[in-house]
Amino acid sequence: MKLVCPLCNGLYPVEFNCEKCNSLMEDQGAKVNFYDDYSPYLLDEITSRADGVSSEKCIHIFLCPNCGYKNDYVIERKEI
Ligand SMILES: [Zn+2]
Ligand SMILES: [Zn+2]
């Protein structure tokens, strides 16, 4: 049993609508990638250890392609 982020692992898409214009937002990747690109292949481990980030959650940045609105969303990890 292992907890994984469905977005990082390509299990299924998680979609959010833009708060400004209601367009479908695009996943820009896990937030951990933006401040730690030192070991991109250990994403799950880094996320689990990062301060203040639960191992059961993965934070992703979503960008609206229509108006440029950007926001972070917490993605629940799933057991596989
Ligand atoms: Zn993720
Ligand atoms: Zn928008």
Side-chain angles (χ1 to χ4, degrees):
M1 187 181 79
K2 188 174 179 241
L3 281 172
V4 300
C5 169
L7 280 181
C8 288
N9 291 274
L11 297 182
Y12 54 83
V14 179
E15 297 175 335
F16 295 98
N17 282 18
C18 177
E19 292 175 19
K20 307 281 184 199
C21 69
N22 214 37
S23 295
L24 194 61
M25 296 179 80
E26 294 175 348
D27 178 23
Q28 302 295 294
K31 197 172 184 181
V32 67
N33 286 343
F34 288 82
Y35 55 78
D36 190 349
D37 51 13
Y38 195 68
S39 310
Y41 301 111
L42 296 173
L43 185 60
D44 270 349
E45 282 190 40
I46 291 168
T47 308
S48 300
R49 282 195 230 118
D51 287 341
V53 178
S54 161
S55 62
E56 291 168 16
K57 301 191 193 311
C58 184
I59 298 170
H60 279 250
I61 294 171
F62 279 75
L63 176 70
C64 174
N66 187 48
C67 74
Y69 177 73
K70 213 186 232 186
N71 203 3
D72 298 347
Y73 291 96
V74 176
I75 310 298
E76 299 277 342
R77 287 169 183 248
K78 299 293 177 193
E79 289 179 6
I80 58 169

